[in-house]
Amino acid sequence: MERLLHQYFRVLARYNAWANPRLYDACAALDDDAYREARTPAGKSAHELLNLRLATDRLWLSRLQGYLADDRMVEEELHETLEDLREAQLAEDVELFEYVDSLAEEDLLRPTTFELSSGERRTNAQYELLTHLLTDQTAWRGRMRELLPFALDLSMLTFVAETEVGERPLMP
């Protein structure tokens, strides 16, 4: 079971690194006003959502790795420009899939204790935290797509077809 879970998370981490550049390319096609206009139900712009995603990814990766990044960063603008955000996010995506690759199969069951911004301490298995992070990224990209005036194909099946991930094993 751990072997299958490990394979699954490796695919999801790579899917994330495949989908995010496409999303950033789509955001780059927006004019600056549309990119910075608050258009979500929560009153957020694409720029604000990209900053929030980067901060969230950094926070959860720090929890997975056993240290705690400053959770106040989720309320801050980490980067002012789309290009700086893109560069930072893509580096974060690489760090995530390298982290997932570095895990031994049994590490997925390892409990990890972390603290929420409320001060509450929780303990979850690595696979539960990875599931949260990777599915949250997919849901977030869905919200981002709603801000785009055109269709953007980020489907898992397109990823599999373009990368042939389904035809070659990730595990040796």
Side-chain angles (χ1 to χ4, degrees), residues 24-129:
Y24 273 85
D25 288 346
C27 287
L30 298 172
D31 66 48
D32 196 58
D33 288 340
Y35 171 68
R36 293 185 184 275
E37 179 185 350
R39 295 185 293 140
T40 68
K44 301 278 187 193
S45 67
H47 178 73
E48 290 169 316
L49 288 176
L50 292 173
N51 268 286
L52 179 59
R53 179 76 258 160
L54 176 60
T56 301
D57 285 356
R58 284 183 177 168
L59 181 62
W60 279 104
L61 189 57
S62 77
R63 289 170 173 165
L64 283 160
Q65 294 173 328
Y67 69 93
L68 184 58
D70 186 350
D71 64 355
R72 290 175 295 177
M73 73 178 150
V74 298
E75 299 169 12
E76 299 173 1
E77 180 182 50
L78 299 178
H79 295 281
E80 292 181 20
T81 69
L82 177 63
E83 195 51 46
D84 288 345
L85 266 170
R86 177 189 178 103
E87 185 178 316
Q89 183 66 60
L90 299 187
E92 195 71 20
D93 294 345
V94 168
E95 186 174 349
L96 176 60
F97 79 67
E98 287 177 349
Y99 174 75
V100 171
D101 282 356
S102 76
L103 294 172
E105 293 166 12
E106 58 272 9
D107 290 337
L108 294 169
L109 300 175
R110 184 180 72 232
T112 300
T113 300
F114 60 94
E115 188 173 304
L116 297 173
S117 57
S118 66
E120 177 186 352
R121 293 181 61 79
R122 289 198 181 165
T123 300
N124 289 86
Q126 285 274 307
Y127 81 88
E128 292 168 330
L129 298 178

